Amino acid sequence: MADKRQTKARLVKGFRDILPQPACQREKAMRTLQDVFQLFGYQSIDTPTLEYTDVLLSKSAGETEKQIFRFEDAGGRDVAMRFDLTVPFARFLAMHRHEVGLPFRRYHIGKAWRGENPQKGRYREFYQCDFDIVGSHNIQADLDVLLVAQAALRSLGVQKFKIHINHRRLLKDLLSHWNLEAQYLPVLGILDKIHKVGKEKTQSELATILPNHADLLWRFVQPQGNSEQALQHLQTLFEEQRVDTPALGDLKQIFEQLNALGLGGFYLLDPCITRGLDYYTGIVFETFLEDMSEIGSVCSGGRYDNLVGLYSNEEISGIGGSVGLDRLLAALEEIQGALPQISAADVVLIYAQDMQSQRRLQLALQARGIKVACFPDDKKLDQQFRYAQSLGARVGVFYKEKEGFILRDLASRENIPAADVGAAILHIRKMIHG
Amino acid sequence: MADKRQTKARLVKGFRDILPQPACQREKAMRTLQDVFQLFGYQSIDTPTLEYTDVLLSKSAGETEKQIFRFEDAGGRDVAMRFDLTVPFARFLAMHRHEVGLPFRRYHIGKAWRGENPQKGRYREFYQCDFDIVGSHNIQADLDVLLVAQAALRSLGVQKFKIHINHRRLLKDLLSHWNLEAQYLPVLGILDKIHKVGKEKTQSELATILPNHADLLWRFVQPQGNSEQALQHLQTLFEEQRVDTPALGDLKQIFEQLNALGLGGFYLLDPCITRGLDYYTGIVFETFLEDMSEIGSVCSGGRYDNLVGLYSNEEISGIGGSVGLDRLLAALEEIQGALPQISAADVVLIYAQDMQSQRRLQLALQARGIKVACFPDDKKLDQQFRYAQSLGARVGVFYKEKEGFILRDLASRENIPAADVGAAILHIRKMIHG
């Protein structure tokens, strides 16, 4: 019978707990990302969870407004929980641009919140792992972000992926040349859904809004094998149409440099990539896993012309990307069956009335980076062994006054004596590292 | 003249941005804490930012209610942002106790929010770094948490600190013996403020509510030099009063084991420690920096009898602690003048039209753990050098077709030639590591 004063333990719709094993996986992945970002000179920043609603929504269309968690704080302020890390970064730059100096590379790993209808694998609270370089128009900045994206995925253990690259100016300059600038956003919208709705529907939608140019545009977005072929194809098409665009030269340079670094195989020139209706103005990219492209992009981004324009007259452009870590980890788990288990402890101290010697060994092992948990209760040995194994431990440690340490190999059930701390360390290292 | 469509970039009262250098310091400190917690077998978990308000407030007095960020979500749910990590952990355990298994060691590093009036160094959004072991009554669990607290602080580079330990049963059993149980919470409240209000006021307040026992109680909380002396003093006092309490034996055991591990010097038996009116029932502790005790405790915790009782009929007791990381980092900065600067990059690639060779060197250096940022714009050399130095870099790298790499020592302004990537790596390693 439940106590009347008890409250039912439950979660708010769209939110979830992260249990130890996935939490450790995620933490490990985040540290890997931090390491990669830092190797390229990107620096961590943090911004508040709550912002003024007008600050968050200054650039938004109505869709975002419907999804944000918005309320009045105790001081009567209209505040909301951030729905991404980009808008807060723009606000941050408008306020701290002179403190951080330009060019500025930042990464930000943090939570964001959106009141979307929860779906499988999608929650109202999620992590974003963003990296940006602002204050440079140069192609080297674009290359930098593309290199980080590739290094990040490989460091996370992903090998079979392709970063699909496009340049928004290609489409824009093509439409301008045809005096069809007004169709730029509608066409972006149609192309963005090509993988969802299929080729036929896309083709007929294009024909509706661009009756005289649909075929040409269709040629424009046709896949062409590898990046060199795609580039050649685009050059031919643009020459035919007598359209001159700097975007082609930019793409050419980027692929040349990626190839020279021996990394070309991780990238693909793909004119279908649009990044929806977002604020991008130059290079855009999305990343697909070869074994699971259906889950969508696991790392996306692009160049934007004026990030802080909503808050300041200063123009700061940049390019950035974002790793979809939750989605990526879920995909890796599905591809590999399971992510490699992270042990909670390598060694477990088996309970004894007097644990002094075991505790001394614990500290000595920890100083060598070995994880040691102590079983804190006087329970049956079987129970303690099962517990140790559930933590992923390899060794159980006893101590007996006259014999010294006894090291229990939890897999083989063999007991190995070790006279003192030094001998125990040697044996345990062998037992753990094989 | 500001554009009318512009929004003023500003922060909500009580919230702050974290700039790159402090953000990197904090991230580094958090990783150190993660490492220490893991070495003792504690596992990471995460819980949502938003919880049902009744779940968060089930155990609270009115004070918390006034301070939480509470609102109705779009689905009409009464939700609130978590104000600590302990209440969500209790809710988590009520729901996942069988999945995680007991005893369970968890750590949780995450943000919490309270609408307190902002003061110097106190914000409405802050990190908590909690570690707990639940499902054990044994003194080994208490010892475990006390060892983690000590190891955490030392790993963060703090050497001069004392973990003040008390046991709540001492006071409780003393008052019970005098038939004054009703005064337990009031006395806790008075003792908790001793450092704020001073001895005299404390003494007179005790005299008011305990007219016949104030002197004895005053003797009870008098500092006695080291822990052995304090223990002896308490034993004498309790014997005199003929009060028998298991708390004395527990404390004796704990200090014996800490001394046996050579760690006794980091701890002090201190009957003044109460941890306010919180839910603790056994050992309680607070940690003070010897060079800055006025900032209060930087790591506190204690044993609680029934954490999940508000949500479940199952009794799960445990002991836990929490590192006050923001406060600790601020204190270390003040004690040391400044925290050691973390470089954003070790090496900066100086801009060139063709950066292929420099980029190749970048990847090779990064594979060796060296942080390399690329200056992405064609700017004057002076500006690039200043930028590199502002990142904390030691080396600037040029490449010339005929000469190979030129390595600029940014401090001595010396240029060192290096024919190829291999030679450049050798030189740069020397330049960075001295």
Side-chain angles (χ1 to χ4, degrees):
Chain A
M1 206 182 63
D3 186 324
K4 270 193 186 170
R5 289 158 308 174
Q6 277 177 8
T7 309
K8 187 171 159 44
R10 65 210 195 279
L11 289 163
V12 177
K13 185 183 173 190
F15 291 82
R16 61 172 168 169
D17 288 323
I18 312 286
L19 288 160
Q21 197 53 230
C24 290
Q25 305 279 8
R26 192 166 77 176
E27 196 169 280
K28 191 179 160 200
M30 283 183 186
R31 290 175 65 148
T32 301
L33 289 178
Q34 292 166 358
D35 289 340
V36 172
F37 297 153
Q38 287 176 15
L39 281 174
F40 280 88
Y42 290 65
Q43 292 178 285
S44 182
I45 67 161
D46 194 20
T47 67
T49 295
L50 292 181
E51 299 263 6
Y52 278 106
T53 304
D54 66 332
V55 167
L56 285 189
L57 293 183
S58 22
K59 82 172 171 76
S60 92
E63 207 43 46
T64 311
E65 196 164 342
K66 277 184 239 153
Q67 295 187 344
I68 56 168
F69 289 97
R70 174 180 181 174
F71 60 99
E72 208 172 82
D73 79 358
R77 297 170 199 89
D78 182 359
V79 298
M81 294 165 81
R82 65 186 181 208
F83 58 85
D84 73 4
L85 304 179
T86 306
V87 176
F89 182 43
R91 199 264 312 137
F92 176 98
L93 275 178
M95 292 175 71
H96 305 293
R97 169 243 173 289
H98 294 285
E99 286 158 274
V100 298
L102 297 182
F104 176 52
R105 287 177 171 85
R106 85 90 162 80
Y107 67 89
H108 190 181
I109 300 178
K111 283 179 176 175
W113 296 266
R114 286 182 206 170
E116 300 173 284
N117 255 342
Q119 297 165 23
K120 185 177 177 294
R122 288 182 81 162
Y123 295 89
R124 292 183 170 178
E125 172 174 72
F126 49 91
Y127 266 98
Q128 295 215 323
C129 309
D130 282 17
F131 52 103
D132 290 77
I133 169 165
V134 294
S136 169
H137 290 278
N138 198 288
I139 197 92
Q140 285 302 329
D142 300 76
L143 184 69
D144 215 80
V145 161
L146 291 168
L147 288 174
V148 172
Q150 170 263 137
L153 288 166
R154 290 172 72 191
S155 296
L156 290 172
V158 193
Q159 290 300 335
K160 292 160 80 180
F161 64 87
K162 276 267 190 321
I163 301 175
H164 293 231
I165 304 177
N166 189 18
H167 197 305
R168 279 231 180 152
R169 286 286 300 268
L170 290 178
L171 178 65
K172 195 165 195 178
D173 290 348
L174 206 53
L175 291 171
S176 290
H177 181 73
W178 299 333
N179 286 316
L180 291 166
E181 298 97 329
Q183 302 301 330
Y184 175 58
L185 286 180
V187 172
L188 276 186
I190 291 170
L191 291 180
D192 190 47
K193 286 178 295 185
I194 191 165
H195 292 293
K196 275 189 204 154
V197 305
K199 286 185 182 185
E200 261 177 61
K201 183 125 193 279
T202 306
Q203 218 168 349
S204 82
E205 283 183 3
L206 287 177
T208 312
I209 62 165
L210 298 172
N212 302 319
H213 298 86
D215 286 349
L216 268 167
L217 208 62
W218 193 240
R219 262 181 70 201
F220 167 65
V221 297
Q222 280 315 290
Q224 297 295 325
N226 67 26
S227 300
E228 284 70 42
Q229 290 162 328
L231 200 60
Q232 190 54 55
H233 171 75
L234 291 175
Q235 275 170 335
T236 309
L237 193 145
F238 277 72
E239 273 167 28
E240 268 178 37
Q241 296 292 310
R242 296 165 196 266
V243 181
D244 198 26
T245 173
L248 273 177
D250 285 358
L251 287 170
K252 193 158 173 274
Q253 263 198 63
I254 283 177
F255 278 96
E256 271 170 14
Q257 297 192 39
L258 293 172
N259 288 332
L261 291 169
L263 298 170
F266 291 108
Y267 302 84
L268 182 67
L269 175 51
D270 178 358
C272 286
I273 297 300
T274 63
R275 301 292 305 129
L277 299 179
D278 274 340
Y279 39 82
Y280 298 109
T281 51
I283 293 284
V284 283
F285 65 94
E286 296 192 352
T287 308
F288 300 97
L289 301 180
E290 286 176 26
D291 294 327
M292 203 177 252
S293 61
E294 66 274 17
I295 62 155
S297 175
V298 294
C299 180
S300 315
R303 173 170 281 285
Y304 36 80
D305 255 352
N306 187 6
L307 188 62
V308 303
L310 296 155
Y311 311 110
S312 151
N313 290 327
E314 197 163 8
E315 275 213 13
I316 303 180
S317 70
I319 175 163
S322 186
V323 179
L325 190 61
D326 291 331
R327 185 186 285 190
L328 183 61
L329 291 178
L332 287 180
E333 192 162 3
E334 213 161 313
I335 291 171
Q336 302 173 6
L339 295 174
Q341 186 89 358
I342 298 175
S343 73
D346 306 308
V347 175
V348 167
L349 309 180
I350 301 300
Y351 186 82
Q353 209 50 42
D354 176 357
M355 301 209 63
Q356 244 159 251
S357 302
Q358 281 154 288
R359 287 286 192 183
R360 204 163 356 216
L361 176 60
Q362 176 179 32
L363 299 185
L365 288 168
Q366 289 172 331
R368 287 155 181 85
I370 295 171
K371 295 184 279 189
V372 187
C374 160
F375 194 94
D377 291 297
D378 194 1
K379 292 282 165 72
K380 284 192 178 147
L381 272 185
D382 262 5
Q383 188 183 335
Q384 297 195 50
F385 289 153
R386 273 201 309 277
Y387 174 81
Q389 285 186 296
S390 77
L391 298 185
R394 304 286 298 274
V395 186
V397 172
F398 300 85
Y399 182 78
K400 295 196 174 165
E401 192 76 47
K402 290 180 184 156
E403 302 162 55
F405 295 103
I406 294 162
L407 314 174
R408 168 83 166 194
D409 185 318
L410 292 167
S412 72
R413 303 184 181 188
E414 197 184 351
N415 287 338
I416 298 155
D420 55 25
V421 168
I425 291 172
L426 277 179
H427 280 299
I428 287 171
R429 278 184 153 172
K430 258 187 250 163
M431 292 162 85
I432 292 173
H433 304 299
Chain B
M1 204 182 67
D3 186 324
K4 270 193 182 166
R5 290 160 308 175
Q6 277 178 9
T7 308
K8 188 172 158 43
R10 64 210 195 281
L11 289 164
V12 177
K13 184 182 173 190
F15 290 83
R16 61 173 168 167
D17 287 324
I18 311 287
L19 288 160
Q21 197 53 229
C24 290
Q25 304 280 7
R26 192 167 75 176
E27 196 169 281
K28 191 180 159 199
M30 282 182 187
R31 288 175 65 146
T32 301
L33 288 178
Q34 291 166 358
D35 289 340
V36 172
F37 296 153
Q38 287 176 16
L39 281 174
F40 280 89
Y42 291 65
Q43 293 179 284
S44 182
I45 67 160
D46 194 19
T47 67
T49 295
L50 292 181
E51 298 264 5
Y52 277 106
T53 305
D54 67 331
V55 167
L56 285 189
L57 293 182
S58 20
K59 80 173 174 75
S60 91
E63 206 43 45
T64 312
E65 196 163 343
K66 277 185 240 153
Q67 295 186 345
I68 55 167
F69 288 97
R70 173 180 181 175
F71 60 99
E72 208 171 82
D73 78 0
R77 297 171 198 88
D78 182 0
V79 298
M81 294 165 80
R82 66 186 182 208
F83 59 85
D84 73 3
L85 303 179
T86 306
V87 176
F89 182 44
R91 197 265 311 137
F92 176 99
L93 275 179
M95 291 174 71
H96 305 293
R97 169 245 174 287
H98 294 285
E99 285 159 275
V100 299
L102 298 183
F104 176 53
R105 288 175 169 85
R106 85 87 162 84
Y107 67 88
H108 190 182
I109 300 179
K111 283 179 175 174
W113 295 267
R114 285 182 206 172
E116 300 175 283
N117 257 342
Q119 299 165 21
K120 187 179 176 292
R122 287 183 83 162
Y123 295 88
R124 290 182 172 179
E125 172 173 73
F126 48 91
Y127 267 99
Q128 296 216 322
C129 309
D130 284 17
F131 52 102
D132 290 78
I133 170 167
V134 294
S136 169
H137 291 277
N138 198 289
I139 198 91
Q140 286 302 330
D142 300 75
L143 184 70
D144 215 78
V145 161
L146 291 167
L147 288 174
V148 172
Q150 169 265 138
L153 289 165
R154 290 172 72 191
S155 297
L156 290 171
V158 193
Q159 290 300 335
K160 292 161 79 179
F161 64 86
K162 276 266 190 324
I163 300 174
H164 293 231
I165 304 175
N166 188 18
H167 197 304
R168 280 228 179 151
R169 287 286 299 270
L170 290 178
L171 178 66
K172 195 164 195 180
D173 290 348
L174 207 53
L175 291 172
S176 289
H177 182 74
W178 298 333
N179 286 316
L180 292 167
E181 297 96 328
Q183 301 302 328
Y184 176 59
L185 286 179
V187 171
L188 276 186
I190 292 170
L191 292 180
D192 191 46
K193 287 179 295 187
I194 191 166
H195 293 292
K196 276 190 202 151
V197 305
K199 286 187 181 183
E200 261 176 61
K201 183 126 192 279
T202 306
Q203 217 168 351
S204 83
E205 283 182 4
L206 287 178
T208 312
I209 63 164
L210 298 172
N212 302 320
H213 298 87
D215 286 349
L216 267 168
L217 209 60
W218 193 240
R219 262 181 69 201
F220 166 64
V221 297
Q222 280 314 291
Q224 298 293 326
N226 64 28
S227 300
E228 285 69 43
Q229 290 162 329
L231 199 61
Q232 189 53 56
H233 171 75
L234 290 176
Q235 276 171 333
T236 308
L237 193 144
F238 277 71
E239 273 167 28
E240 269 178 38
Q241 295 294 311
R242 295 165 197 264
V243 181
D244 198 26
T245 173
L248 273 177
D250 285 357
L251 287 169
K252 192 158 175 273
Q253 262 197 66
I254 282 177
F255 278 96
E256 272 171 11
Q257 297 191 40
L258 292 172
N259 288 333
L261 290 169
L263 298 170
F266 291 107
Y267 301 85
L268 182 67
L269 175 52
D270 177 358
C272 286
I273 297 300
T274 63
R275 301 291 305 130
L277 299 180
D278 273 338
Y279 38 81
Y280 298 108
T281 49
I283 292 285
V284 283
F285 65 94
E286 296 191 352
T287 308
F288 300 98
L289 302 180
E290 285 176 25
D291 294 327
M292 203 177 254
S293 62
E294 66 274 18
I295 61 156
S297 175
V298 294
C299 180
S300 315
R303 174 170 281 284
Y304 37 79
D305 254 351
N306 188 8
L307 187 62
V308 303
L310 296 155
Y311 310 110
S312 153
N313 291 326
E314 196 163 7
E315 275 213 14
I316 303 181
S317 70
I319 175 162
S322 187
V323 179
L325 190 60
D326 292 330
R327 183 185 286 188
L328 183 61
L329 291 177
L332 287 180
E333 191 162 5
E334 214 163 313
I335 292 171
Q336 302 172 8
L339 296 174
Q341 186 89 358
I342 297 175
S343 74
D346 305 309
V347 175
V348 167
L349 309 180
I350 302 301
Y351 186 80
Q353 210 49 43
D354 176 358
M355 300 207 64
Q356 244 160 251
S357 302
Q358 282 155 288
R359 286 288 191 183
R360 205 165 354 217
L361 176 60
Q362 177 179 33
L363 300 184
L365 288 168
Q366 288 172 333
R368 287 156 181 85
I370 295 173
K371 294 184 278 191
V372 186
C374 160
F375 194 93
D377 291 298
D378 193 2
K379 292 283 165 73
K380 286 194 178 145
L381 272 186
D382 262 7
Q383 187 183 335
Q384 296 195 49
F385 288 154
R386 273 202 308 278
Y387 174 81
Q389 285 186 297
S390 76
L391 298 185
R394 303 287 298 274
V395 186
V397 172
F398 300 87
Y399 182 79
K400 295 194 173 162
E401 191 75 46
K402 290 181 185 155
E403 302 163 56
F405 295 103
I406 294 162
L407 313 174
R408 168 84 166 193
D409 186 317
L410 292 166
S412 72
R413 303 184 181 188
E414 198 184 350
N415 287 338
I416 297 154
D420 55 23
V421 168
I425 291 172
L426 278 177
H427 280 299
I428 287 170
R429 278 186 154 170
K430 259 187 246 159
M431 292 162 85
I432 293 173
H433 303 299

